[in-house]
Amino acid sequence: MQSKINAYLVTLIGILLILPLAGVTALGTLMEGIIGWVIAIIVLIIGIVGIVKNSK
């Protein structure tokens, strides 16, 4: 049960990381944008894999 909660929390954190990047005010330099997107997508993938693993 706790790993399922952790997976949902990681997914929520990933979503919160992507939201500012999708806005116009968060463009910054190209490198900051790429690093921000990569980190957010990795966190989302970890969360989604955890949810799928716990649902089986």
Side-chain angles (χ1 to χ4, degrees):
M1 182 68 178
Q2 185 176 0
S3 60
K4 191 173 188 177
I5 293 172
N6 285 342
Y8 281 111
L9 287 176
V10 169
T11 305
L12 179 65
I13 290 170
I15 292 169
L16 291 175
L17 286 171
I18 282 184
L19 286 176
L21 294 172
V24 176
T25 60
L27 292 177
T29 65
L30 180 62
M31 199 60 176
E32 289 174 350
I34 291 173
I35 291 173
W37 277 103
V38 168
I39 291 172
I41 290 173
I42 289 173
V43 169
L44 268 177
I45 290 171
I46 292 170
I48 291 170
V49 167
I51 290 171
V52 170
K53 186 185 290 186
N54 289 325
S55 66
K56 287 185 179 183

